[in-house]
Amino acid sequence: MDQQLFIAGRWESGTGSQVVTVRSPASGEAIGTAVMAGPEAARRAVAAAEKAGPLWRDTPPRRRSEALEAIARWIGEHVEELARWITREEGKPLPEARGEVRYTASFFRFYAGEAERITGEIPPSPEPGRSLYLYREPIGVTLAITPWNYPMAMIARKLAAALAAGCTVVVKPAEETPLCAAALFQGVAAALPPGVANLVTGLPDPLGEALIHDPGVRKITFTGSTQVGRHILHAAADRVASVSLELGGNAPFIVMDDADVAEVVPAILRCKYRNAGQICVALNRLYVQRRLHDPLAKALAEAVASLKVGDGLEEGTVIGPMINQAALEKVEAHVSDATARGARLLVGGRRLAEGGLDHGFFYAPSLLTHVPEGARMLTEETFGPVAPLMAFDTEEEAIERANRTPYGLAAYVFTRDLGRAERLTRALAFGMVGVNDPVPSLAEVAIGGMKESGLGREGGRQGLDEFLEWKYVSVRHPAAP
């Protein structure tokens, strides 16, 4: 894949840009090269989006819908090819990668429908001889900065909504997964007029900095760390650009003592160990009511110990590699910190190098108990295959401990008592709560964070609103002749 920049309807090789080797996080083998573009490419991409803006804004909604449907169909026809790019570059097991590709298509399909349902309002006038109209118009050139952990789905969640709203877009994917973005854009490019969607790959500095400060960008949508989100918010404030942010999480997973251990264990495996724990809404703190603590810890330890770790392309692999050395070292530091403070390690707790894993970034799926408050893995997002399990006694205690964080992205509750579920979901200060559901995210619903986990929403009808502005028109009727 030699041409990775897509600007103004043309694929480019990034002449004059830095080119780096992309390596598999599982084997260390080179899987391709990536263009690391700079400010010049950023300026051209934004200019292309600005030029195409009026054309795409005025394109009938039905035509925009058809373009999004075409992208969804193309993705559906290339599931295996796209999934292999995800597994090779990001590391998740191939069955998970296939699921991500289908999830990616669902955003384009959902927003194809929403593109035809953008309506305004005609409020009643408070006086005769006057008509009031409220229109909804696209906000303008949108910059979508996406993460590496879902390298195609997170592009789709932003891009599909922006396109449906009538915005033109510049996508800057994570520097860890540029090849996945280029692979997805093969289908995007074929369905859209020149300049409507543009792709530039590169490092946060200089490429990202040039993009977030470009005066042509009217909307920035970002998924990533809270630290970077704050920086983007400051940059956007200088020119009063609109911003949507999905930032860090610290998800509590509360198990009440009426829950069924046989149902909870597989739910925890999906919520914590999927994608090697590298998910912003993954379980980060597991709170179990005391009566269920020991039996759940025993059953979960056995299940975690049985998870097969390896290259995501190998049959039967459940846990793939971490994305890079820095991610691996963070997990190691969190486990070391917890055990030094008195936590008990039940399973895992080490880097894996045997059995051909020595060239990748593999960490054993791990489970700890008796993790004390103040441990780093309870206050920071671990972003790895490690779960800390703690006991609690009362419902009130669970709520207080779960909310004891500046983050508020996702939370989970497992109980058979609907009254308990209602009380907990209302009390938890998180933007998304899964009740007996470890994977609640869908294209059809809006997700987003409270507190330091972000601003705005993505997905669902509300996700479309992020890319639209209201225009008010007042008309006074001329007096009758």
Side-chain angles (χ1 to χ4, degrees), residues 253 255 260-271 273 295-304 414:
F253 192 111
V255 182
D260 185 339
V261 170
E263 294 178 356
V264 172
V265 168
I268 292 171
L269 296 183
R270 291 190 71 196
C271 192
Y273 299 96
L296 180 58
K298 181 177 183 296
L300 184 58
E302 292 173 357
V304 171
F414 271 69

Side-chain angles (χ1 to χ4, degrees), residues 37-351:
E40 187 273 336
R43 286 190 292 271
R44 288 194 296 109
V46 173
E50 285 186 288
K51 183 177 180 181
L55 169 68
W56 188 243
R57 178 196 63 207
D58 295 336
T59 297
R62 174 61 61 86
R63 294 287 300 278
R64 296 204 297 262
S65 175
E66 290 170 350
L68 293 173
E69 279 286 2
I71 297 170
R73 283 196 303 273
W74 182 89
I75 294 170
E77 294 164 359
H78 295 81
V79 171
E80 193 66 19
E81 174 190 342
L82 295 173
R84 286 185 172 274
W85 273 115
I86 292 173
T87 297
R88 293 173 68 203
E89 189 172 38
E90 192 270 348
K92 68 182 61 173
L94 193 54
E96 284 188 30
R98 294 187 186 109
E100 179 181 340
V101 174
R102 296 186 184 99
Y103 187 42
T104 300
S106 74
F107 285 103
F108 288 104
R109 191 169 297 113
F110 174 77
Y111 282 112
E114 290 300 300
E116 296 189 79
R117 291 191 282 269
I118 299 172
T119 59
E121 295 181 13
I122 305 177
S125 174
E127 58 189 84
R130 186 180 182 187
S131 296
L132 313 178
Y133 303 96
L134 289 166
Y135 297 96
R136 298 171 83 194
E137 296 187 349
I139 198 168
V141 174
T142 294
L143 168 62
I145 305 176
T146 60
W148 52 263
N149 58 334
Y150 279 81
M152 293 189 188
M154 294 303 95
I155 290 176
R157 196 160 74 183
K158 299 174 187 300
L159 178 60
L163 293 175
C167 295
T168 54
V169 187
V170 177
V171 174
K172 190 268 179 212
E175 62 271 21
E176 293 88 350
T177 52
L179 302 183
C180 286
L184 176 63
F185 251 73
Q186 299 293 322
V188 173
L192 298 171
V196 171
N198 305 272
L199 175 69
V200 284
T201 56
L203 299 172
D205 191 11
L207 178 64
E209 286 298 305
L211 288 168
I212 66 174
H213 289 284
D214 194 300
V217 172
R218 296 307 312 151
K219 172 77 179 186
I220 303 175
T221 172
F222 168 77
T223 297
S225 73
T226 298
Q227 179 182 0
V228 175
R230 288 194 188 101
H231 175 67
I232 289 172
L233 195 57
H234 280 290
D238 287 342
R239 50 193 169 77
V240 199
S242 176
V243 176
S244 296
L245 305 171
E246 185 195 330
L247 307 178
N250 190 8
F253 192 111
I254 300 171
V255 182
M256 305 304 294
D257 60 8
D258 64 330
D260 185 339
V261 170
E263 294 178 356
V264 172
V265 168
I268 292 171
L269 296 183
R270 291 190 71 196
C271 192
K272 171 72 263 186
Y273 299 96
R274 193 171 80 258
N275 197 23
Q278 300 172 118
I279 308 172
C280 57
V281 296
L283 176 168
N284 205 63
R285 299 170 290 150
L286 177 55
Y287 295 109
V288 181
Q289 201 157 17
R290 196 169 300 278
R291 186 179 69 82
L292 214 60
H293 179 278
D294 290 351
L296 180 58
K298 181 177 183 296
L300 184 58
E302 292 173 357
V304 171
S306 71
L307 298 175
K308 180 183 176 182
V309 181
D311 189 319
L313 294 173
E314 294 178 1
E315 188 72 27
T317 293
V318 178
I319 304 289
M322 307 294 293
I323 187 66
N324 54 32
Q325 181 67 24
L328 184 63
E329 290 174 356
K330 181 180 181 182
V331 173
E332 289 178 321
H334 277 204
V335 173
S336 296
D337 172 75
T339 54
R341 294 171 182 263
R344 301 177 191 174
L345 183 64
L346 298 188
V347 181
R350 64 188 182 91
R351 179 174 181 171

